Amino acid sequence: MVQVFERYGLPLRINTDNGSPWGVPTQPRGSLSALAVWLIRLGIKVTYSAPYHPQTNGKIERFHRSLKAEVLDGRSFADIAGAQDAFDDWRRIYNLERPHQALGLQTPATRYFPSLRSYSSTLAPISYRDEDEVLEVGWNGFVKFKGSESCACRMRCIACQSPLEQIRMQTIALTSCSAITASPKSTWPV
């Protein structure tokens, strides 16, 4: 991904399924993988399709169907280089020659422009305000705050845009580094 980001820049958003390496299927919904955390820290919004709902990524499913039908079905390749040549030829046709109905019979190349957001290998440090209290989310999705334990997985993960349970706190945000920022004047639990 680094090579792609260096060449084309950073996207605003990546929508993925919930499987590895994008999601953490063994953890509660909304859990972030190390890859997702890295993407978020790069400033990329990571969104997830609904579980077992491939229609959310319909464009990708359609792309895979075309790739299979036009390149893979009924073919075998003598080696990796032969397969790569077939993929490269098809990519050129798909992006530069073949009209796409969803694009008003334009080619993808006519709609492409590189991102203005460049990649940096140095991540900005995570910073908190002096009045923030930083809490680690445990392996089980729970946090302790002022002696009480509560499930952080029910709170809104800003990066994931999952639902926020209404709680009596002035400020709460689950950040990309699995920490909760809470106002010191907050009451806990609800």
Side-chain angles (χ1 to χ4, degrees):
M1 289 187 93
V2 169
Q3 291 173 333
V4 171
F5 291 160
E6 287 173 338
R7 181 172 180 180
Y8 299 105
L10 298 175
L12 294 174
R13 179 173 71 109
I14 293 179
N15 189 63
T16 73
D17 62 20
N18 296 282
S20 180
W22 306 104
V24 186
T26 59
Q27 296 297 315
R29 177 133 165 83
S31 297
L32 298 174
S33 67
L35 175 59
V37 170
W38 176 67
L39 293 170
I40 292 164
R41 291 196 62 203
L42 286 172
I44 299 169
K45 182 177 181 178
V46 178
T47 58
Y48 295 91
S49 61
Y52 310 106
H53 200 267
Q55 300 87 329
T56 308
N57 287 324
K59 290 180 250 183
I60 300 301
E61 298 298 328
R62 178 64 173 93
F63 172 83
H64 287 158
R65 187 174 84 189
S66 297
L67 176 64
K68 183 178 178 188
E70 297 172 23
V71 180
L72 300 175
D73 280 350
R75 291 184 70 181
S76 59
F77 302 98
D79 54 26
I80 296 292
Q84 187 62 59
D85 288 343
F87 290 136
D88 291 344
D89 288 343
W90 185 75
R91 183 180 61 212
R92 180 186 47 74
I93 293 166
Y94 186 88
N95 287 327
L96 301 173
E97 298 174 16
R98 178 181 179 210
H100 292 249
Q101 187 176 8
L103 300 177
L105 300 180
Q106 301 274 329
T107 64
T110 64
R111 300 289 182 95
Y112 172 77
F113 57 91
S115 174
L116 299 176
R117 302 175 61 225
S118 60
Y119 170 77
S120 172
S121 60
T122 305
L123 296 174
I126 297 170
S127 61
Y128 302 98
R129 299 173 304 186
D130 290 339
E131 64 271 18
D132 290 340
E133 202 165 321
V134 179
L135 308 169
E136 291 293 320
V137 178
W139 65 271
N140 59 356
F142 283 80
V143 293
K144 283 192 176 186
F145 185 69
K146 296 188 177 183
S148 296
E149 189 172 70
S150 184
C151 180
C153 60
R154 293 187 323 222
M155 297 170 196
R156 178 174 176 243
C157 171
I158 291 173
C160 305
Q161 297 299 310
S162 50
L164 169 63
E165 180 179 299
Q166 292 300 317
I167 56 175
R168 294 180 351 225
M169 297 183 90
Q170 290 179 347
T171 308
I172 188 160
L174 185 57
T175 69
S176 60
C177 59
S178 297
I180 287 186
T181 304
S183 166
K185 298 177 185 145
S186 304
T187 57
W188 191 280
V190 177

